[in-house]
Amino acid sequence: QQIQEDLNKQLLDNLVSFLSQSHSEFQEKTTEWTCRMKFREIPTAALVLGVNVTDHDLTFRGLSDVLQENITPYIALLEAKDCPGIKNLMQKLMGQLMNCDIDVDTLEDEDCVQVSQNKIRCSMSSLINWYESVTKKTDSETPSKKRNSSSRHWQSPPVVVIFKDMESFTTKVLQDFIVISSQHIHELPLVLIFGIATSPMIIHRLLPHSVSSLLCIELFQSLSCKEHLSTIIDKLLLTSQFPFKLGEKVLQVLFNIFLYHDFSVQNFIKGFQLCIVEHFYSQPLSVLCCQLVDAKKRVNFLSHDQCENIRRLPSFRRYVEKQESEKQIALLTTDSFLKEETEKLLEDLHVYHENYVSVLRCLHVFTSSLPKYPLGKQIRELHCACLENQVWETEEYESSLQLARMLNKTDLVTMLQQCVEILLSSSGKEFDKTVEKLKEFLTQFQNLEAEASQERDVSVSSQKELQKKTDLYHLQKTLLELKESRRSKKLTKFEMLRFEVIDYIDSLVRTYLVPADNRTLHEVVYFNAAAVLRGHLNAAPRTALHTALNNPHWYLKNQALKCDGGGISNKAPDICIVYKLHLECGRLINLVDWLEAFSTVVMAGEEPNADAASSDQVDDIIHARFIRAVSELELLGFIKPSKQKTDHVARLTWGGC
Amino acid sequence: MSWPEGTRSSRRSLQVKFVPDEEVLKHIADDAGIKVRKDKAQLSVSVKRFVKKLENISDNEAQEILEEKNYIAALGICAEDPMGNGSNISGGEVYSFQTPKRSSKMAELASELAQTPEQNVAPDHSKCPEKMAKPPQSNSNFMWAEIVWKCSLILKEFVSTTPYRLRKRLAASDPCLESESEYSASCSEEEDEKDQKEVSTVLPDQKTPAKTKAASTPPPRNNLAKKKKDEKMSNLVEEYFEAHSSSKVLTSDRTLQKLRKRRLDQQTLHDLLKRAPLAYAAEIKDLNQQHESLFSKWMLQLHLGFNIVLYGLGSKRDLLEKFRTSLLQDSVHLVVNGYFPSITVRSILNSITEEVLDHIGTFRSPLDQLEFIIKRFKEDSSLELYVLIHNLDSQMLRGERSQQILAQLSSLPSIYLIASIDHINAPLMWDQAKLSLYNWLWYETTTFSPYVEETSYENSLLVQQSGSLALSSLMHVLRSLTLNARGIFRLLAQHQLEKKDNPSYPGLPFQDFYQQCREAFLVNSDLTLRAQLTEFRDHKLIRTKRGADGVEYLLIPVDDSTLTDFLEKEDEDV
């Protein structure tokens, strides 16, 4: 299971590197434009980040890291929750600036500590003093060794203040801060960065004109979360390097959570991690889910039990059934033979993945530009479709082929070229022939060029003929004739070739995009327990409570609880009975009535052995049980005590839910 | 007129099934549209019953008519009764679906037509959603025709125009149908109360006979007379949903005090519950075993940076305890009993800093403390801490700030959080940012075990607050005070006990109290008394309230029995 930790790490690294990549452009811009700082105006960058709030943290961290390296050591990250007032804001700001300063120049330690100790006088002037002292010192004291680092920064590096979540800041605080700092802009080169989740309009809504005029705002748009996602999918799912794969259902669940719940790449990754964990935890054969070389080694060390596990895999059984009888026996009895076979199969699987990915990309090239996107615009949709079942049997595939047959030449040529590139870049060995074939197609297209021009002449002449005739009747007739002839006419060479190309692509798809379920040993690398995943990531506590209360039989497998169609069984647990009874009431519930109803139900449920002597006893117990059930309901939030009337409780839910 | 048992039960199930739909409908539709739809839903239910009835007694056409006659008779009784009141009960009942506007109109109509019972039937019909728009008929024979025709219409179209009430009333009014009416009251639970009233008008003091099926029992009957009064008072008897928008609530006036049963205190309750056998122990055990098999998985996932939250009906305390004892024995862990009413985030943080990190000293704010903890945990990667929180959604912890702090805490890689939630709306306390900090993995652990610990701190209405806790704390605080201070408190307590029969006792006015204290040589100035009272107030021993006249009233917020106990104890001490 160490592998899996490695994988996790790799995963996060990928993301971080990607994010910093995506933000490098901002930095460049920022640097350029901070140069032309204007008098009395605070340069401000507004970063529109989209709604995936959870990812912002990571983004900002990456951003501040990059900024720190390239532009300035003075960065403060501010969050709204830390800054309820201007004073807190200043405090936080000072603290962060001075701390980061300590990190950069350890020489000035004492000085900084001194400054930060008088936190009470946190004001702009002290900030400026500090800034001056710091910059002076870096100017005067820095030896040649330090020159290097500071030359990377400017002579007077700007102080960058990042507001992580602009929307949740109180307007007053922001306004005050901006006004104050604009007073001091000469002494203190300040740069603000606003993180915005909604739209750039929010700046103007939050800040009145008098304040926003002090800012020189430049707007940056970060990549949309969907693009982040597709990069991640590209890097993680559609590579043969990464041995772990997701099944179709699981992918669907993850995408659904992403698209319909939070748009958070981070959560997507979390889900992915969970899949990995689950897979390694629940599938004993997941030891084989690693790089091919390791897997081969591990196959040799498989114990007998593990071999048995392999034999038990449904896909392996199917495979065995297809073999001849002797081989079947060998596979089922001798471990060593099984291991050899497994090795071979794993290799097959690996090759399959390699081919799969490249062909999938080729297909994506074709389908992504078709009108209406019958197979989806994104490669992930295509991927899901391919995993789900045999893609060539679907209607969407049919229609997309139909559409592809109508592509014009230039598109087709560029697509073919792209395909060739993809296939060349892939490591699969079987693609040599394919590439050749495609190249052949390309040359044929080029040859067609000349003929095509000829043909065009012909068609032009016919058009000219057509223009001559102005009579409506004749026009109609000729048009019909033309149509007729077109239909009957032998297909042009181009069309023939086009058909050929599409057919070829089709054949490629049919050979390589076989759904993974059909492959032997696919269980080793594919994770398919979508229900588990959904349960853990997208749980429905309310539903669970509801079923438990309404239908205790679901959990407690006792025949007595089995009831038809939602009625209350009088043997149900107390809380269920009480819950059911309370469903019938309005906004307020009279406890006495409730208790009596409850006791009647319970009494009827128990055997009518109530003799006069023990009835009082029983009553007390029932009373106690009722009290317990009611207070449990209160704990669950269905009712609350009410002062409106004596001995009443208020219902907090509505209707039957 | 006794129908086979089987049909009853099938009808019962039918009706129960319909309830949620109707409720949902009610819930979704807004006020205006709701009335008609609701009517329909209800009517369709009744139609089905009705159809079944008719199927069963297809040849009982004659009896139907007999029923109707009875119904009219019953209506007549009803109509005569309320005349004195200006508006009529039957109007109140039957038009219970109506909007106020319409009901006033109906009242007008009713008073116009209230001369003869037959006429009273007409508005009854016009109430139907489809509005059959028959002019009021004075000819009773014509009425019969109409009713019979409508019944057949129902059969044909399945869209009822006959009110549900009517059917029921027909049944109820016939003495020999008593058991049936009983049944309809009991089975149509979605409108318990109205049913009760319905029955109450016809059979005001009927004692509940043995139920044929007690599974769903009708609410008790002996309060019905009171209900009737209730109804008379409020001629705006409104629907369930309307009750929600207005402040009028329709429930019986019975109180627990009128029950001969005494209130149980916490201890006896506990004892009683212990004696009651736990139902389905075996099944619950099975469930728990299922959950316990997940323990090692939890451990793994905790270590991988996820935090675990458990949800589902039943106390998860035992489960977590078991998890703790089986897997966390050798590691540092902190158990937080969130259900404890005085738990705060601060106390959680304190126990981390003091017990886990061995840090002595105080912090200015929880945020500082949190920062300190985060720093320590980041510096020292060998530090590991398991935090188990029972009821993360309890009153004290569900606040925004508490959750924020806990979330930040849980986001530390070396703090492993495993928590349980119970409240139905618990997930609402987390927004996206917090969720990502928590990094939850959800586990459904329905245990069905009773919430013994969790509910024991709640002030349930039914449980008498045992005075023992309050008394001991009272003694404790008082013992630490000076003799004079105790005297002051005694004075106040005695005064309050003297006035205990006065339910609207506002408290002792400050000036009077001062006078008394001076007379007893307990204080020598206004200021000393005030200082003393401030101390009391800080310990929550007294409460001050400003009356309408600006006078300050002092009150001990402890019930009388405890106070008596307290004084007795004090006497013993002195």
Side-chain angles (χ1 to χ4, degrees):
Chain A
Q1 295 191 337
Q2 281 174 346
I3 334 154
Q4 145 220 324
E5 306 228 339
D6 291 347
L7 299 187
N8 281 351
K9 220 175 281 170
Q10 192 185 332
L11 212 65
L12 281 178
D13 285 351
N14 271 344
L15 182 73
V16 169
S17 67
F18 167 71
L19 282 179
S20 47
Q21 237 175 46
S22 74
H23 281 282
S24 55
E25 43 180 318
F26 293 138
Q27 272 82 72
E28 281 161 32
K29 270 192 197 167
T30 323
T31 39
E32 270 177 41
W33 142 94
T34 38
C35 297
R36 43 186 178 84
M37 259 198 302
K38 280 183 207 162
F39 181 66
R40 289 274 292 185
E41 281 193 357
I42 311 169
T44 309
L47 222 57
V48 181
L49 288 160
V51 290
N52 47 338
V53 187
T54 42
D55 300 337
H56 293 178
D57 215 24
L58 218 58
T59 318
F60 278 117
R61 224 176 301 146
L63 177 65
S64 67
D65 283 348
V66 176
L67 279 177
Q68 196 140 30
E69 248 164 56
N70 299 330
I71 304 169
T72 164
Y74 312 119
I75 293 171
L77 273 167
L78 296 179
E79 272 175 88
K81 63 170 191 285
D82 298 330
C83 313
I86 185 85
K87 200 174 145 197
N88 307 51
L89 187 141
M90 288 305 295
Q91 258 176 25
K92 204 88 194 160
L93 180 64
M94 300 277 287
Q96 284 202 13
L97 283 177
M98 286 160 190
N99 274 338
C100 79
D101 196 63
I102 292 170
D103 295 343
V104 175
D105 331 53
T106 36
L107 281 179
E108 297 167 39
D109 240 355
E110 307 146 33
D111 195 34
C112 286
V113 170
Q114 263 179 13
V115 179
S116 57
Q117 264 165 359
N118 8 335
K119 258 184 185 168
I120 314 112
R121 311 189 274 107
C122 277
S123 67
M124 213 58 191
S125 58
S126 62
L127 188 66
I128 290 161
N129 284 341
W130 161 80
Y131 182 74
E132 273 170 6
S133 70
V134 169
T135 40
K136 222 182 286 162
K137 274 188 183 145
T138 25
D139 284 346
S140 56
E141 288 177 21
T142 42
S144 56
K145 191 180 80 185
K146 283 202 91 186
R147 268 280 152 223
N148 266 340
S149 67
S150 63
S151 69
R152 217 177 46 200
H153 309 312
W154 306 324
Q155 204 56 30
S156 57
V159 173
V160 179
V161 181
I162 303 178
F163 294 89
K164 270 193 192 172
D165 38 0
M166 163 113 176
E167 283 96 334
S168 34
F169 275 95
T170 18
T171 32
K172 188 83 176 56
V173 172
L174 264 187
Q175 285 171 22
D176 285 352
F177 180 74
I178 289 168
V179 171
I180 292 171
S181 46
S182 72
Q183 307 283 321
H184 298 276
I185 194 72
H186 324 277
E187 297 125 272
L188 188 72
L190 204 65
V191 177
L192 304 182
I193 297 181
F194 293 143
I196 296 172
T198 48
S199 80
M201 283 303 291
I202 197 79
I203 297 179
H204 300 289
R205 207 170 304 154
L206 280 180
L207 305 173
H209 185 69
S210 59
V211 177
S212 59
S213 64
L214 295 173
L215 302 173
C216 159
I217 300 175
E218 189 110 338
L219 201 67
F220 299 96
Q221 186 85 38
S222 81
L223 290 174
S224 83
C225 46
K226 278 188 199 155
E227 283 167 60
H228 288 219
L229 181 71
S230 50
T231 335
I232 284 165
I233 290 170
D234 260 11
K235 279 188 179 161
L236 290 176
L237 300 180
L238 302 177
T239 55
S240 48
Q241 267 93 47
F242 201 72
F244 176 74
K245 304 279 177 209
L246 290 177
E248 185 268 334
K249 294 247 172 55
V250 176
L251 263 183
Q252 214 72 60
V253 168
L254 283 180
F255 288 143
N256 281 346
I257 293 176
F258 179 80
L259 291 176
Y260 299 123
H261 288 258
D262 48 10
F263 283 115
S264 160
V265 179
Q266 219 178 351
N267 280 359
F268 182 82
I269 294 205
K270 173 188 159 190
F272 193 76
Q273 281 172 329
L274 179 68
C275 293
I276 298 176
V277 174
E278 279 287 325
H279 180 66
F280 281 94
Y281 187 83
S282 57
Q283 176 60 259
L285 284 173
S286 54
V287 274
L288 297 179
C289 175
C290 54
Q291 304 296 341
L292 188 60
V293 193
D294 296 335
K296 276 184 181 168
K297 261 185 243 157
R298 282 181 203 184
V299 168
N300 289 324
F301 294 116
L302 284 181
S303 68
H304 179 70
D305 284 347
Q306 282 168 319
C307 290
E308 282 302 312
N309 275 334
I310 293 180
R311 287 187 190 122
R312 246 176 266 137
L313 289 180
S315 70
F316 188 75
R317 276 207 219 135
R318 253 180 278 140
Y319 172 76
V320 169
E321 275 158 23
K322 276 183 220 147
Q323 308 299 317
E324 299 126 36
S325 59
E326 294 142 46
K327 211 178 166 190
Q328 271 184 11
I329 293 163
L331 275 174
L332 292 178
T333 49
T334 39
D335 280 354
S336 56
F337 186 67
L338 176 79
K339 279 175 191 170
E340 274 173 39
E341 201 63 26
T342 317
E343 229 171 283
K344 226 185 287 168
L345 286 172
L346 280 178
E347 207 165 330
D348 278 356
L349 199 61
H350 185 72
V351 170
Y352 157 75
H353 280 141
E354 277 178 352
N355 300 341
Y356 175 86
V357 171
S358 359
V359 174
L360 185 71
R361 282 178 202 276
C362 291
L363 184 60
H364 180 61
V365 166
F366 273 90
T367 54
S368 61
S369 56
L370 295 175
K372 281 201 204 155
Y373 312 106
L375 275 173
K377 202 174 181 178
Q378 306 280 348
I379 197 162
R380 59 165 190 266
E381 293 161 81
L382 192 63
H383 183 52
C384 278
C386 291
L387 282 175
E388 194 181 358
N389 44 30
Q390 289 164 330
V391 72
W392 56 89
E393 282 172 1
T394 57
E395 271 178 46
E396 289 86 1
Y397 182 76
E398 271 311 310
S399 63
S400 59
L401 272 198
Q402 288 290 341
L403 288 169
R405 289 202 178 100
M406 285 180 250
L407 285 170
N408 62 15
K409 203 193 75 184
T410 43
D411 282 353
L412 202 59
V413 169
T414 47
M415 280 179 198
L416 280 177
Q417 272 161 350
Q418 277 175 348
C419 288
V420 170
E421 274 168 33
I422 291 170
L423 293 179
L424 278 177
S425 65
S426 82
S427 49
K429 293 143 206 153
E430 296 169 31
F431 285 125
D432 297 343
K433 254 199 275 169
T434 324
V435 172
E436 268 172 42
K437 183 86 179 171
L438 286 180
K439 277 185 179 157
E440 199 181 307
F441 280 134
L442 275 176
T443 46
Q444 278 180 3
F445 272 118
Q446 261 134 38
N447 294 343
L448 267 182
E449 201 94 333
E451 298 165 39
S453 57
Q454 278 179 4
E455 249 179 72
R456 211 176 298 135
D457 287 345
V458 176
S459 64
V460 164
S461 64
S462 73
Q463 293 249 313
K464 270 177 192 160
E465 247 175 81
L466 204 130
Q467 276 161 0
K468 272 182 221 159
K469 285 164 187 163
T470 45
D471 185 357
L472 192 64
Y473 172 71
H474 280 289
L475 183 68
Q476 207 173 15
K477 209 168 129 194
T478 35
L479 275 174
L480 276 175
E481 269 170 23
L482 215 63
K483 207 171 162 191
E484 204 61 15
S485 69
R486 275 218 187 124
R487 198 175 292 158
S488 60
K489 198 168 62 180
K490 235 183 71 190
L491 295 164
T492 62
K493 269 190 183 168
F494 166 67
E495 279 162 336
M496 298 255 286
L497 197 57
R498 189 164 65 182
F499 272 32
E500 230 173 290
V501 170
I502 302 298
D503 285 344
Y504 185 69
I505 295 285
D506 187 33
S507 73
L508 273 183
V509 167
R510 275 162 203 267
T511 40
Y512 292 114
L513 292 188
V514 186
D517 294 0
N518 298 352
R519 307 296 302 194
T520 317
L521 290 186
H522 72 91
E523 289 94 338
V524 171
V525 291
Y526 277 89
F527 176 71
N528 249 326
V532 179
L533 190 71
R534 191 190 285 278
H536 290 332
L537 290 180
N538 206 2
R542 189 85 184 249
T543 326
L545 272 180
H546 191 75
T547 21
L549 287 170
N550 276 313
N551 188 10
H553 177 68
W554 183 263
Y555 293 100
L556 303 172
K557 304 287 178 210
N558 191 314
Q559 275 307 311
L561 291 176
K562 209 156 196 178
C563 51
D564 45 331
I568 320 173
S569 152
N570 48 26
K571 295 199 175 61
D574 296 344
I575 186 167
C576 300
I577 297 173
V578 170
Y579 171 77
K580 277 281 185 185
L581 289 173
H582 114 284
L583 282 187
E584 315 304 335
C585 293
R587 191 158 56 109
L588 287 185
I589 307 170
N590 187 321
L591 280 171
V592 183
D593 294 350
W594 202 4
L595 169 62
E596 239 159 79
F598 175 75
S599 73
T600 327
V601 173
V602 172
M603 298 277 257
E606 273 147 20
E607 299 312 307
N609 58 352
D611 33 320
S614 69
S615 71
D616 207 34
Q617 255 301 306
V618 170
D619 233 10
D620 262 358
I621 289 183
I622 287 175
H623 191 191
R625 281 165 63 185
F626 175 69
I627 290 171
R628 176 174 63 186
V630 168
S631 45
E632 280 173 359
L633 277 191
E634 191 182 338
L635 181 81
L636 293 175
F638 284 105
I639 53 166
K640 70 169 189 204
S642 153
K643 288 251 162 68
Q644 247 174 310
K645 232 169 162 186
T646 42
D647 292 326
H648 275 65
V649 288
R651 229 187 119 181
L652 297 177
T653 50
W654 183 271
C657 50
Chain B
M1 205 56 202
S2 62
W3 293 315
E5 198 63 39
T7 55
R8 283 190 198 177
S9 62
S10 67
R11 251 180 283 139
R12 174 200 310 270
S13 70
L14 202 152
Q15 193 135 38
V16 171
K17 235 188 271 177
F18 265 90
V19 175
D21 286 359
E22 188 198 318
E23 303 279 6
V24 167
L25 242 175
K26 255 201 260 173
H27 185 66
I28 294 166
D30 44 356
D31 245 14
I34 206 164
K35 250 132 259 164
V36 178
R37 268 205 265 174
K38 156 107 173 138
D39 272 354
K40 275 182 185 161
Q42 214 160 37
L43 287 171
S44 74
V45 174
S46 69
V47 168
K48 281 190 185 163
R49 298 171 85 219
F50 187 47
V51 166
K52 260 198 194 130
K53 271 189 205 166
L54 287 193
E55 273 168 8
N56 287 332
I57 40 155
S58 51
D59 57 342
N60 278 2
E61 209 63 54
Q63 214 152 4
E64 283 278 327
I65 291 174
L66 188 79
E67 275 180 66
E68 256 127 88
K69 220 176 243 162
N70 280 323
Y71 164 59
I72 299 296
L75 262 187
I77 297 162
C78 290
E80 278 160 21
D81 180 44
M83 275 308 105
N85 281 356
S87 72
N88 55 4
I89 292 187
S90 77
E93 282 157 26
V94 178
Y95 306 135
S96 58
F97 291 142
Q98 283 162 326
T99 57
K101 188 178 78 191
R102 211 169 144 203
S103 102
S104 64
K105 191 178 146 204
M106 288 322 295
E108 268 176 44
L109 243 177
S111 54
E112 257 176 34
L113 299 172
Q115 300 310 317
T116 59
E118 282 87 358
Q119 276 172 333
N120 213 12
V121 180
D124 209 346
H125 282 287
S126 64
K127 167 219 170 208
C128 310
E130 275 88 350
K131 277 233 176 191
M132 293 315 289
K134 295 277 167 192
Q137 304 290 329
S138 52
N139 186 343
S140 66
N141 283 332
F142 192 35
M143 281 302 308
W144 289 126
E146 187 188 324
I147 292 169
V148 171
W149 170 73
K150 267 180 195 163
C151 293
S152 59
L153 188 85
I154 292 159
L155 266 176
K156 264 184 264 162
E157 295 185 3
F158 243 68
V159 177
S160 163
T161 57
T162 309
Y164 181 39
R165 301 264 164 262
L166 188 137
R167 298 307 321 159
K168 224 168 28 204
R169 206 81 79 71
L170 289 173
S173 56
D174 195 339
C176 70
L177 286 177
E178 196 180 282
S179 68
E180 167 61 20
S181 81
E182 196 47 54
Y183 159 67
S184 64
S186 69
C187 74
S188 59
E189 283 158 2
E190 86 270 30
E191 22 168 30
D192 249 328
E193 293 173 357
K194 268 176 284 141
D195 285 355
Q196 275 181 36
K197 271 169 264 144
E198 205 99 311
V199 177
S200 78
T201 51
V202 185
L203 315 157
D205 253 322
Q206 178 200 18
K207 234 7 254 171
T208 319
K211 310 284 169 313
T212 45
K213 286 231 171 127
S216 50
T217 48
R221 308 243 152 260
N222 42 355
N223 62 326
L224 293 176
K226 232 174 277 159
K227 279 208 169 158
K228 202 173 161 190
K229 229 192 290 171
D230 221 2
E231 264 179 66
K232 263 186 201 162
M233 283 188 300
S234 61
N235 55 351
L236 278 174
V237 184
E238 292 190 304
E239 248 313 310
Y240 172 74
F241 52 88
E242 283 180 335
H244 233 271
S245 56
S246 72
S247 60
K248 284 255 159 50
V249 182
L250 200 91
T251 48
S252 73
D253 283 335
R254 306 169 67 201
T255 58
L256 287 170
Q257 261 168 358
K258 287 183 187 155
L259 271 182
R260 68 197 151 70
K261 232 168 290 160
R262 70 206 146 79
R263 289 193 171 201
L264 304 164
D265 62 22
Q266 195 66 251
Q267 191 54 43
T268 43
L269 174 71
H270 202 73
D271 293 344
L272 281 172
L273 284 178
K274 250 187 200 159
R275 252 184 290 158
L278 184 61
Y280 305 110
E283 285 83 7
I284 289 174
K285 209 175 151 201
D286 275 358
L287 266 180
N288 275 328
Q289 250 151 21
Q290 269 177 40
H291 301 320
E292 278 158 33
S293 62
L294 294 170
F295 279 175
S296 54
K297 194 170 177 180
W298 291 355
M299 266 315 248
L300 174 72
Q301 286 172 341
L302 284 175
H303 276 271
L304 287 169
F306 297 104
N307 293 310
I308 288 177
V309 61
L310 308 177
Y311 64 92
L313 182 68
S315 168
K316 285 149 288 261
R317 196 169 164 278
D318 292 340
L319 193 68
L320 279 179
E321 272 307 286
K322 212 163 203 168
F323 175 70
R324 187 179 71 87
T325 46
S326 60
L327 287 175
L328 300 182
Q329 272 315 325
D330 309 326
S331 37
V332 186
H333 57 262
L334 174 75
V335 180
V336 179
N337 293 325
Y339 50 81
F340 195 69
S342 64
I343 191 104
T344 57
V345 189
R346 187 135 214 184
S347 55
I348 298 174
L349 291 177
N350 275 340
S351 50
I352 292 179
T353 47
E354 278 160 26
E355 324 233 322
V356 181
L357 301 177
D358 288 327
H359 174 85
I360 303 154
T362 51
F363 297 89
R364 277 192 303 147
S365 71
L367 280 177
D368 285 349
Q369 202 164 4
L370 180 71
E371 245 163 59
F372 173 78
I373 293 170
I374 291 175
K375 219 171 93 193
R376 278 295 292 273
F377 271 98
K378 277 191 178 149
E379 277 167 11
D380 191 353
S381 58
S382 66
L383 269 177
E384 283 191 341
L385 176 67
Y386 294 85
V387 182
L388 280 85
I389 303 183
H390 304 295
N391 288 76
L392 185 60
D393 53 349
S394 65
Q395 286 289 347
M396 294 304 295
L397 297 181
R398 67 173 64 144
E400 151 85 28
R401 276 166 56 80
S402 328
Q403 287 297 326
Q404 180 68 38
I405 287 171
L406 285 176
Q408 273 174 310
L409 205 61
S410 71
S411 66
L412 285 178
S414 49
I415 288 188
Y416 313 114
L417 176 69
I418 176 163
S420 66
I421 56 168
D422 286 304
H423 199 277
I424 39 172
N425 294 328
L428 297 183
M429 54 186 186
W430 302 313
D431 57 13
Q432 288 282 348
K434 286 199 201 73
L435 276 180
S436 76
L437 279 176
Y438 270 125
N439 207 7
W440 287 128
L441 283 186
W442 299 76
Y443 274 91
E444 182 182 334
T445 53
T446 303
T447 59
F448 271 101
S449 37
Y451 294 96
V452 180
E453 286 292 321
E454 287 91 329
T455 54
S456 62
Y457 295 103
E458 248 172 67
N459 305 329
S460 173
L461 275 176
L462 291 163
V463 183
Q464 184 171 29
Q465 279 309 300
S466 66
S468 57
L469 193 79
L471 183 62
S472 68
S473 58
L474 213 77
M475 297 295 288
H476 193 75
V477 174
L478 261 280
R479 209 159 286 159
S480 66
L481 295 175
T482 60
L483 213 62
N484 269 2
R486 280 199 272 188
I488 293 172
F489 193 76
R490 266 178 72 96
L491 260 183
L492 190 59
Q494 275 162 352
H495 188 85
Q496 187 160 339
L497 277 184
E498 279 163 23
K499 294 282 168 67
K500 72 178 167 190
D501 295 332
N502 181 6
S504 60
Y505 170 65
L508 185 58
F510 178 78
Q511 279 308 326
D512 294 3
F513 188 42
Y514 175 57
Q515 212 54 45
Q516 287 181 24
C517 287
R518 262 186 87 99
E519 280 159 19
F521 300 111
L522 290 168
V523 291
N524 52 7
S525 78
D526 186 308
L527 274 181
T528 31
L529 180 58
R530 280 206 186 274
Q532 201 56 60
L533 289 179
T534 316
E535 190 165 352
F536 286 153
R537 201 169 353 182
D538 291 346
H539 284 106
K540 300 216 167 66
L541 290 180
I542 61 163
R543 220 170 31 204
T544 55
K545 210 166 39 181
R546 235 173 238 294
D549 45 357
V551 181
E552 208 172 345
Y553 288 106
L554 305 166
L555 195 69
I556 304 174
V558 181
D559 58 307
D560 300 335
S561 59
T562 318
L563 219 51
T564 327
D565 285 354
F566 163 72
L567 285 178
E568 277 168 18
K569 280 249 170 77
E570 276 279 298
D571 288 338
E572 281 167 29
D573 284 5
V574 177

